[in-house]
Amino acid sequence: MESYGYIRVSTRDQNEDRQRIAMDEAGVEADHIFLDKLSGKNFDRPQYKSMIKTLKKDDMLYIKSIDRLGRNYDEILEQWRILTKEKGVDIVVLDMPLLDTRRGKDLMGTFLSDIVLQVLSFVAENERVNIRQRQAEGIAAAKARGMKFGRPRLPVPDEFCKIITAWERKDITIHQAAMRCGMSEATFYRRLREYRLKKKA
């Protein structure tokens, strides 16, 4: 039997120290820890996949909290089933002692563990949905205040009209025209359409 730990943070800027300390206190060796710095929306994560291949029957897997495993309700339940039923691995969720598959191997213990898992998995996904909603509301509020998002709009050069004329006379290619404007060909065409519409107005 080997003990392993799984750590996940959502971005490369987030600090995983709290999870590492928890793993150390649980007795998990540093080289038995799998770390992903990716969103928990699905399980398409390189270190998680590597961990699944490494785990063997009767191994122990430690996770700090259920949302470190993931945030998608259905996928958390499916991965839990794969780990415990197919792989035969025991799981300990350190922040939730009831989610310790070593305990309650009888029918009642399994039943209680399954209920707790489903509730916590639902809470994890609900939080993910709420985060997305808060982000959308924040962006909408910022836009209402006039805040701009995305890359700043490239200004057209002072000689834009001359460049268009030279291109229309075929003195220069579209590539050369875009280069002189300091923009891509797609942006040049877009600015050209806007310029012609403005002239018609």
Side-chain angles (χ1 to χ4, degrees), residues 97-160:
L98 278 173
L99 284 179
D100 182 342
T101 60
R102 296 171 303 179
R103 300 170 55 185
K105 293 284 186 180
D106 59 353
L107 185 62
M108 181 57 74
T110 303
F111 175 68
L112 287 173
S113 181
D114 284 349
I115 289 175
V116 173
L117 173 63
Q118 291 197 38
V119 170
L120 290 178
S121 300
F122 174 77
V123 169
E125 179 169 9
N126 196 50
E127 177 60 15
R128 183 170 68 92
V129 171
N130 287 340
I131 287 170
R132 281 208 309 267
Q133 184 176 341
R134 288 195 295 268
Q135 286 172 338
E137 289 170 354
I139 290 169
K143 283 182 176 177
R145 294 195 303 270
M147 186 177 291
K148 302 289 184 184
F149 289 87
R151 289 184 298 180
R153 184 183 172 90
L154 281 172
V156 295
D158 295 335
E159 65 273 17
F160 190 57

Side-chain angles (χ1 to χ4, degrees), residues 13-26:
D13 296 330
Q14 286 185 332
N15 193 304
E16 72 274 10
D17 285 355
R18 282 178 60 252
Q19 294 179 70
R20 283 195 181 277
I21 291 168
M23 296 299 160
D24 184 57
E25 290 174 349

Side-chain angles (χ1 to χ4, degrees), residues 28-75:
V28 181
E29 295 177 13
D31 60 351
H32 277 202
I33 293 173
F34 294 85
L35 167 65
D36 276 314
K37 294 194 174 188
L38 287 167
S39 163
K41 64 182 179 181
N42 59 49
F43 285 84
D44 187 18
R45 310 176 212 136
Q47 286 298 299
Y48 186 83
K49 288 179 177 178
S50 178
M51 180 187 75
I52 290 289
K53 290 177 183 175
T54 303
L55 289 168
K56 301 178 297 297
K57 191 177 187 309
D58 295 326
D59 281 346
M60 281 292 312
L61 175 62
Y62 290 91
I63 307 163
K64 179 76 167 73
S65 56
I66 197 67
D67 63 347
R68 297 305 87 200
L69 186 63
R71 289 187 180 275
N72 182 299
Y73 173 72
D74 291 329
E75 289 194 14

